[in-house]
Amino acid sequence: MEKIKVLYIDDEQNNLNGFKATFRFDYTIFIAATTTKAKEYLRDHNDIKIILCDQRMPDQTGVQFFEEIRFEYPEPIRMLITGYTDIESVIEAINRGHIFRYIKKPWTDTDIQSAIEEGNKFHLTNSLLATKNKELQSAYDELGKFAYSVTHDMRGPLLSVLGAISIAEGSNDIAEIKDIMGMMSLAVKKLDEFITNIHEYYNLKRGQLVFEAISFNDVLNDTAALFRISGSVDNIRFTSTVNQQDTFLSDQTSIKIVLTNLLSNAFKYQQRGKTDKFVDVNIDVNNGIATIFVKDNGIGIDAQHIDNIFDMFYRATSAETGSGFGLFNVKDALNKLNGTIEVSSAINEGTIFKVTIPGIPNGAK
Amino acid sequence: MAPNRQQHFIVIDDSKLDCFIAEKIIKNTGKCESVISFLQAKEALEFISTNTLSSLYPIIVLVDIQMPVMNGFEFVEAFEKLPINITKNYNIYVISSSINDNDLIKVPKYSSVKQFLNKPLTSNNLSALLTKD
């Protein structure tokens, strides 16, 4: 474990030397004879965790120093070293939240050690709390986006169907009613797709990764079968190559989500009326890393949208129906697997996604 | 206000079904000279900035809020930057399934937007909008 970084400030050089000599094996020690020097250390080493400062200093008192730095450097734990004579100012400083605790002069090694350990624990707890808070904030932000999109992505198709029903009710033309039914069925499918995507999303969020040997041939066949059944592959030349000799351990559900969404997009966003439409998948497993290329000659992605395509609910095109959820889920799944994704695309030429996924080393399950 | 005036309509919505519904309801009013639908706001904007539809009455535009690429608000912002001799010929109505306050609050901020309409569009609320001005 990395040593705790401690900054000690005292105007007496002997004290500084003694402190460093005693604790240099247990902690990384920075010593400063002036508060000016101390501020330099704080500026250059943002990972200093504990600051110990003598109260009686020529240019300013320890309490004044702590008051001054606490806003710029709120993270390090502040401790004051002082004799009984200054007890009033110490009490005040503690009450005003400037210092974590004080160490009475003359101190023993154990005093200092226990103070540093306790301070460090407090620091750790605080940082954990800050991390948790950040996670909560991001979960909360997602929930906000989610609630917003629900009104459109779930309510939208429902209201469309409702509107269509009222028109169908007023029509006596069977052919027109059948047309309306066809459109209603599309709206319902869109809603269903959205719900499936939410399901995927929560599977990813809540689900534990299950590492097992992955056969990319099987995964790809399963995935491609889905598109064959739905007829998405019609009139599109679908080619695939899989080159896998080694066992590859990873989470099958996540890999399927990645492949399904990339393929679904490749089949969906084709150029209408083009004669030689194709989707090509190439999977190569080498040195424990799986590299997947999904390539199409579809409509492509506009350069101004390409940085946002992995954002939740972001849609870069109004061609075809989509939920704005697919690539977000792909990115999320890859984050869980420590994988990466790159995209290159040109309008009306096509898109290439390159995915790399590191396998779990054998035995490290 | 002439009781039997015929007006031009433009519908902007990324959902084909919603365009269809709007077209149907508009035609059923009997006050429709023509109706054109756009699945992309950008195309509608292009059409409006180069359009030569001549009409005695303002052309009614129904625009959805949530659309990819250019959403309804972005459309309205771009529309308001067009020359006045174009914009004066149009009445814009925002139509949405949104029940989100942040969307609804925004609507009155756009001076060109006449009114907010809830989806689905019905003959009743369309007729109500046609009888007042």
Side-chain angles (χ1 to χ4, degrees), chain B residues 49-120:
Chain B
S49 51
T50 55
N51 150 54
T52 50
L53 280 182
S54 70
S55 173
L56 284 171
Y57 309 107
I59 297 163
I60 293 185
V61 179
L62 302 177
V63 57
D64 183 28
I65 295 181
Q66 276 155 313
M67 293 183 287
V69 186
M70 178 185 255
N71 69 32
F73 291 125
E74 287 162 345
F75 166 83
V76 171
E77 278 161 31
F79 171 83
E80 288 182 352
K81 287 191 186 122
L82 294 176
I84 180 85
N85 65 335
I86 292 177
T87 55
K88 69 175 167 50
N89 299 324
Y90 293 86
N91 282 352
I92 308 257
Y93 295 87
V94 169
I95 175 162
S96 175
S97 61
S98 179
I99 35 179
N100 184 289
D101 290 342
N102 286 337
D103 284 340
L104 305 187
I105 288 168
K106 268 192 195 170
V107 174
K109 289 186 186 154
Y110 296 102
S111 55
S112 64
V113 175
K114 289 266 175 197
Q115 200 187 319
F116 173 85
L117 299 172
N118 281 310
K119 273 189 182 177

Side-chain angles (χ1 to χ4, degrees), chain A residues 120-139:
Chain A
N120 189 52
K121 257 189 226 158
F122 185 75
H123 185 271
L124 274 177
T125 318
N126 270 355
S127 344
L128 274 180
L129 200 65
T131 317
K132 279 280 160 212
N133 266 340
K134 231 187 227 171
E135 284 173 17
L136 273 177
Q137 187 60 47
S138 102

Side-chain angles (χ1 to χ4, degrees), chain A residues 222-267:
Chain A
D222 287 357
T223 314
L226 290 178
F227 297 109
R228 287 213 181 84
I229 293 165
S230 68
S232 319
V233 191
D234 295 353
N235 306 319
I236 299 170
R237 185 159 47 88
F238 179 52
T239 50
S240 63
T241 45
V242 176
N243 178 14
Q244 179 183 17
Q245 260 88 46
D246 311 333
T247 312
F248 184 82
L249 289 181
S250 192
D251 178 58
Q252 179 144 316
T253 312
S254 304
I255 288 183
K256 274 192 173 164
I257 286 173
V258 171
L259 265 180
T260 313
N261 280 298
L262 292 180
L263 279 174
S264 156
N265 283 349
F267 286 122

Side-chain angles (χ1 to χ4, degrees), chain A residues 192-360:
Chain A
D192 183 53
E193 184 189 338
F194 184 73
I195 292 167
T196 310
N197 282 323
I198 292 178
H199 178 70
E200 270 183 3
Y201 168 74
Y202 278 98
N203 270 354
L204 276 171
K205 270 275 177 244
R206 310 260 170 262
Q208 291 290 318
L209 296 178
V210 181
F211 296 115
E212 56 188 318
I214 306 283
S215 156
F216 278 100
N217 259 320
D218 292 350
V219 172
L220 186 61
N221 285 337
D222 287 357
T223 314
L226 290 178
F227 297 109
R228 287 213 181 84
I229 293 165
S230 68
S232 319
V233 191
D234 295 353
N235 306 319
I236 299 170
R237 185 159 47 88
F238 179 52
T239 50
S240 63
T241 45
V242 176
N243 178 14
Q244 179 183 17
Q245 260 88 46
D246 311 333
T247 312
F248 184 82
L249 289 181
S250 192
D251 178 58
Q252 179 144 316
T253 312
S254 304
I255 288 183
K256 274 192 173 164
I257 286 173
V258 171
L259 265 180
T260 313
N261 280 298
L262 292 180
L263 279 174
S264 156
N265 283 349
F267 286 122
K268 200 196 275 185
Y269 297 106
Q270 287 287 340
Q271 301 182 52
R272 271 193 208 144
K274 200 174 165 80
T275 45
D276 57 338
K277 298 182 228 178
F278 76 81
V279 172
D280 178 59
V281 182
N282 187 302
I283 302 175
D284 187 69
V285 181
N286 201 353
N287 284 327
I289 293 175
T291 310
I292 304 172
F293 283 95
V294 178
K295 203 171 158 185
D296 67 63
N297 59 348
I299 59 175
I301 304 163
D302 197 332
Q304 62 169 329
H305 298 299
I306 210 143
D307 291 336
N308 302 107
I309 57 173
F310 297 107
D311 294 351
M312 194 185 224
F313 302 125
Y314 192 86
R315 298 206 56 220
T317 173
S318 49
E320 302 300 326
T321 63
S323 58
F325 228 134
L327 288 177
F328 177 80
N329 279 343
V330 167
K331 183 90 177 186
D332 217 34
L334 286 171
N335 279 345
K336 278 199 137 179
L337 301 177
N338 287 322
T340 59
I341 185 160
E342 291 164 39
V343 54
S344 58
S345 186
I347 286 284
N348 294 333
E349 280 176 35
T351 305
I352 303 171
F353 281 97
K354 179 191 178 190
V355 170
T356 54
I357 303 167
I360 305 298

Side-chain angles (χ1 to χ4, degrees), chain A residues 100-116:
Chain A
F100 173 69
R101 66 184 287 174
Y102 80 97
I103 298 158
K104 172 177 81 170
K105 254 184 174 176
W107 45 262
T108 66
D109 296 358
T110 355
D111 289 342
I112 298 282
Q113 223 149 13
S114 73
I116 290 178

